[in-house]
Amino acid sequence: MAKTLFEKIWQKHVVRELPDGSALIYIDRHLVHEVTSPQAFEGLRLAGRKVRRPDLSVGTMDHNVPTTDDRMEIKDPISKAQVEAMRGNCKDFGIQMYDLGDDRQGIVHMIGPELGLTLPGLTIVCGDSHTSTHGAFGALAFGIGTSEVEHVLVTQTLAQRKPKTYKVEFTGQLPPHIFSKDMVLKLIGTIGTAGGAGHVLEYCGETIRGLSMEARMTICNMSIEAGARAGLIAPDETTFNYIAAADRPFAPKGKQLEQALAMWRALPSDAGAKFDQSITIDCRRLKPQVTWGTNPGMVIDIDQTVPGPDQAAGYSRTDVENALAYMGLTPGTRLTDVPVDVVFIGSCTNARIEDLRLAAAVFKGRKVAPQVQALVVPGSMQVRRQAEAEGLDQIFKAAGAQWRFAGCSMCLGMNPDQLRPQQRCASTSNRNFEGRQGKGGRTHLVSPEMAAAAAVAGKFVDIRTFMNR
Amino acid sequence: MQPFTTHTGIIATLDRSNVDTDAIIPKQFLKSIKRTGYGPSAFFDWRYNADGSPNPAFELNQHRFYGRSILVTRNNFGCGSSREHAVWALVQDGYRVVVAPWKELGGKRLPAFADIFLNNTTKNGMLAIELSEDEVQIIFNQVAAHPGLQATVDLEKQQFTLRGPDPTTFTFDIESSAKQRLLKGLDDIAITLQYEADITRFEKSYSPY
């Protein structure tokens, strides 16, 4: 019978079926960060349990860490205690950790692919919902809670009910200045923030095939914002070239890589494989996407106006009224008339080298508007080095943007990078929830080009006309 | 884990859909390395004024909900971040039950709770009940009409009963495994460790690529 990519990965990892109809699934990679793991390690100690396969877990510091020059000295005592707990836990339980100061440190979903840990056909979990990012390699990757982190540490498995499958096909060539960020925001705006719940999304179609690994990761990253546990993209030559690149210490090499390639080439969904749901999105007329509200599904084309309480399909009057009040917007407003205070280019969604190149192309020969604070935060130290090798840091600095060290930074406001109340931010991150970037902060999600252009113009712009000016 | 069999308590209503886990427990409280102490910080940004006093405009701060232990809200509760701290905060703030409606949109049924949040509830002895939109609206109406209205939840029978002058019982579905674990307060890890021999056998014959 024809099988989907998801079914092939699932079947390979079933340790055993369980009496209640769920299955015990083997986990190939467990990524660990400082925020969602301390209570799991505490649980191990209290129960006198060990980590079953420390060799299959890898840790890093990302959520809590400052991204400024003085980052090594964490001033917040509570953050510092958490970072120190992470060091102690990884040391005590024998887990390799890419610490602050390590030249491979970075956001957990950046370093997995960079280190060659993220590979097709694997199961990958992390106590972080954006684990869906790794699906770009054709790996079944999903976020878990801290109790499940503990469960994986002890058993290297998870009991899971088999999710349903959802085929998301993107067709047509992307117009100039339209990116994978716009594709995924359009999808979430169409199916809603719960539209993918209970499903694994498989992104396919000619538009996906034409995307780089970086761009694919942006799409899979935001699967969770559509309510899906995971997103998948079938591996192809683009994937294999990325994995075969130098400097991926955990990736298979030589003969082992040849064997792996043979297996990976058999992973894509078979012709005629059945999905539980499907949708097709035509990319030919896609426009730059900007969120106007307080969840990623509250999104419009840049040339549309902010909707009124009865004009946002799928949202109640109260939802829209709450969102508009929080965002300080009135119905009918054009976002191109709305000034921004802060621009954040970073996060596991859009802080890869390609994203920084796009932002740099906008900043080159231009200046950040005087009233705007612009942060460019590479997702990993590797990306930071690459950007500096290409001279991108010089472009950012010349434009008046801040060039930072690797971390989650202003995506979630757990570290010193935060919005102040009512500050408005054009952000390349993934969540525009209330308070996400700082209490009272107002987040608008956009692509890296749109964010950089907003920094220059001091307000949102239509990147298509801005770049042709 | 505390078993969940039956529970009777006061209902509090929160009339918002898509309540994300950032709203349930904001990021600054995720720096703790403990599993306790989150209760007073649940819904922090909505719950308190800038000076730390309770925000009277926040629904759950109403005096009529004093002593509540059942939260009734709208669709897609617990979306966003995987943080289990959200469930810890709710449980430690005194909630044992959370009720939300599934929703019909474009011919598709959208679940009441986000996946990861739902998984996290059962690991902490909290019961998440999915009802229809009409049933949840009846609860909202009844609670509005009768301050201090209580409900009794019977997990074994899978029934949610509104008490007060106009008793109404709704039945709900729940996965059998989640039900058993909640009823007995079972530890997931101990259950899986019964299959340790299977895991070892699997590892011996398994190659990831």
Side-chain angles (χ1 to χ4, degrees):
Chain A
M1 208 183 85
K3 286 185 204 155
T4 62
L5 166 59
F6 162 75
E7 281 156 350
K8 292 179 192 183
I9 303 174
W10 178 270
Q11 283 182 4
K12 186 174 157 67
H13 289 84
V14 172
V15 173
R16 66 167 292 156
E17 307 286 345
L18 297 175
D20 65 352
S22 66
L24 200 60
I25 295 296
Y26 197 74
I27 303 301
D28 293 310
R29 300 278 187 273
H30 182 199
L31 307 172
V32 186
H33 66 81
E34 77 278 18
V35 175
T36 55
S37 67
Q39 295 86 356
F41 285 111
E42 184 195 18
L44 291 191
R45 287 198 181 88
L46 288 173
R49 288 169 173 153
K50 289 193 170 64
V51 176
R52 180 180 180 89
R53 293 291 302 271
D55 57 318
L56 299 182
S57 289
V58 169
T60 193
M61 308 271 197
D62 55 7
H63 284 62
N64 230 325
V65 300
T67 57
T68 41
D69 291 339
D70 57 352
R71 71 195 191 290
M72 299 305 287
E73 199 51 52
I74 297 177
K75 292 175 189 77
D76 177 349
I78 310 171
S79 286
K80 193 174 174 181
Q82 193 170 64
V83 162
E84 280 168 0
M86 177 72 179
R87 283 183 191 129
N89 288 332
C90 287
K91 187 164 173 283
D92 291 354
F93 290 95
I95 293 170
Q96 182 163 4
M97 209 259 291
Y98 293 88
D99 200 348
L100 203 56
D102 191 293
D103 65 2
R104 306 300 297 250
Q105 174 263 337
I107 305 175
V108 65
H109 309 310
M110 299 279 302
I111 71 163
E114 285 174 359
L115 290 166
L117 287 162
T118 304
L119 299 170
L122 300 187
T123 50
I124 303 176
V125 297
C126 173
D128 189 286
S129 62
H130 292 112
T131 309
S132 58
T133 311
H134 307 266
F137 290 77
L140 179 60
F142 51 93
I144 55 178
T146 297
S147 294
E148 291 173 313
V149 168
E150 186 176 339
H151 192 280
V152 173
L153 287 170
V154 177
T155 70
Q156 204 57 37
T157 64
L158 277 175
Q160 293 281 297
R161 193 159 288 273
K162 192 174 179 180
K164 292 180 181 161
T165 53
Y166 198 143
K167 181 180 181 179
V168 181
E169 186 171 10
F170 289 98
T171 59
Q173 194 178 355
L174 288 173
H177 307 296
I178 306 299
F179 303 97
S180 60
K181 183 64 163 286
D182 302 302
M183 292 164 67
V184 72
L185 283 171
K186 186 70 179 181
L187 171 70
I188 300 163
T190 306
I191 69 172
T193 52
H199 291 73
V200 169
L201 310 183
E202 182 178 336
Y203 304 103
C204 60
E206 54 184 320
T207 324
I208 294 286
R209 290 293 128 219
L211 297 177
S212 66
M213 288 315 295
E214 284 82 354
R216 293 179 188 184
M217 284 190 252
T218 301
I219 293 191
C220 286
N221 173 274
M222 291 191 70
S223 304
I224 180 73
E225 312 312 335
R229 286 297 289 280
L232 282 171
I233 293 175
D236 59 10
E237 294 307 314
T238 305
T239 322
F240 306 145
N241 289 337
Y242 181 100
I243 293 166
D247 207 19
R248 308 227 185 277
F250 292 91
K253 315 268 182 232
K255 206 163 183 65
Q256 214 185 11
L257 176 60
E258 280 170 37
Q259 277 175 14
L261 283 169
M263 188 177 278
W264 296 342
R265 288 204 165 96
L267 280 173
S269 294
D270 300 328
K274 296 267 187 297
F275 293 82
D276 295 297
Q277 281 198 61
S278 64
I279 187 173
T280 302
I281 292 181
D282 182 356
C283 296
R284 286 173 302 175
R285 280 180 203 86
L286 208 53
K287 294 177 179 177
Q289 302 292 301
V290 190
T291 61
W292 57 268
T294 51
N295 73 53
M298 293 175 158
V299 63
I300 50 176
D301 298 346
I302 186 67
D303 58 8
Q304 290 179 309
T305 56
V306 172
D310 295 319
Q311 295 166 325
Y315 296 100
S316 72
R317 226 191 139 78
T318 321
D319 290 340
V320 176
E321 283 168 353
N322 284 339
L324 290 175
Y326 181 85
M327 294 299 289
L329 291 172
T330 48
T333 305
R334 290 189 180 283
L335 287 173
T336 47
D337 295 330
V338 174
V340 300
D341 307 299
V342 178
V343 168
F344 172 60
I345 297 172
S347 87
C348 57
T349 309
N350 276 127
R352 298 182 182 83
I353 189 65
E354 196 174 87
D355 302 313
L356 301 191
R357 285 178 191 142
L358 288 167
V362 176
F363 281 127
K364 191 164 188 178
R366 297 186 174 98
K367 291 275 182 204
V368 172
Q371 71 279 15
V372 173
Q373 181 198 9
L375 274 72
V376 184
V377 188
S380 69
M381 291 307 288
Q382 172 143 338
V383 166
R384 185 180 150 95
R385 275 193 305 284
Q386 175 70 26
E388 290 184 346
E390 296 179 18
L392 305 184
D393 59 317
Q394 296 305 321
I395 296 172
F396 297 134
K397 288 179 197 163
Q402 299 172 34
W403 175 239
R404 295 293 188 84
F405 289 83
C408 296
S409 184
M410 201 183 267
C411 175
L412 86 166
M414 265 198 80
N415 50 69
D417 302 335
Q418 295 191 28
L419 293 181
R420 293 196 302 275
Q422 302 190 359
Q423 273 191 324
R424 192 176 299 281
C425 179
S427 179
T428 67
S429 57
N430 40 57
R431 287 189 175 135
N432 49 339
F433 295 155
E434 288 188 25
R436 172 80 178 180
Q437 296 192 289
K439 185 171 178 174
R442 294 163 171 170
T443 304
H444 296 265
L445 304 177
V446 288
S447 73
E449 269 199 0
M450 284 284 285
V456 170
K459 63 186 188 68
F460 292 99
V461 295
D462 186 335
I463 189 69
R464 298 169 300 175
T465 49
F466 181 86
M467 291 299 273
N468 295 332
R469 225 178 272 162
Chain B
M1 194 174 84
Q2 189 186 357
F4 190 110
T5 49
T6 61
H7 176 77
T8 297
I10 295 171
I11 306 167
T13 51
L14 178 63
D15 189 7
R16 285 177 183 250
S17 54
N18 300 300
V19 173
D20 57 77
T21 54
D22 274 80
I24 299 172
I25 185 82
K27 69 266 171 207
Q28 63 268 31
F29 304 106
L30 271 55
K31 295 176 180 178
S32 168
I33 57 171
K34 301 270 174 250
R35 217 178 251 266
T36 51
Y38 299 96
S41 311
F43 302 111
F44 188 86
D45 286 359
W46 292 337
R47 184 170 179 174
Y48 301 107
N49 292 315
D51 64 2
S53 61
N55 171 14
F58 179 49
E59 294 161 83
L60 294 178
N61 282 345
Q62 295 174 75
H63 184 68
R64 57 189 291 166
F65 294 152
Y66 184 78
R68 81 283 173 279
S69 58
I70 298 172
L71 179 64
V72 179
T73 182
R74 302 292 189 185
N75 181 256
N76 198 27
F77 188 79
C79 62
S81 162
S82 60
R83 58 187 71 168
E84 195 163 322
H85 310 65
V87 175
W88 299 336
L90 292 173
V91 170
Q92 291 161 23
D93 199 27
Y95 295 102
R96 291 226 68 204
V97 179
V98 55
V99 180
W102 53 270
K103 186 173 166 180
E104 194 88 21
L105 193 70
K108 289 167 190 164
R109 181 174 161 153
L110 304 179
F113 302 99
D115 282 343
I116 308 178
F117 176 84
L118 184 61
N119 276 345
N120 288 339
T121 56
T122 53
K123 302 201 177 341
N124 290 279
M126 183 178 207
L127 177 61
I129 296 177
E130 193 173 42
L131 296 176
S132 72
E133 282 193 291
D134 290 346
E135 289 166 337
V136 168
Q137 191 54 51
I138 290 170
I139 302 176
F140 266 87
N141 295 345
Q142 291 277 318
V143 169
H146 305 289
L149 185 69
Q150 297 197 351
T152 294
V153 179
D154 186 325
L155 177 54
E156 183 60 53
K157 292 186 183 150
Q158 298 178 209
Q159 288 179 339
F160 179 98
T161 303
L162 275 174
R163 296 161 73 97
D166 190 13
T168 313
T169 296
F170 306 118
T171 57
F172 58 87
D173 290 331
I174 182 169
E175 267 187 16
S176 59
S177 60
K179 180 178 175 176
Q180 290 310 314
R181 280 179 293 156
L182 282 165
L183 281 172
K184 294 173 188 159
L186 294 175
D187 168 2
D188 280 5
I189 296 178
I191 295 174
T192 298
L193 286 175
Q194 296 169 12
Y195 305 119
E196 201 170 4
D198 296 279
I199 301 171
T200 304
R201 202 176 309 124
F202 180 91
E203 280 178 331
K204 277 188 182 145
S205 63
Y206 173 75
S207 162
Y209 48 77

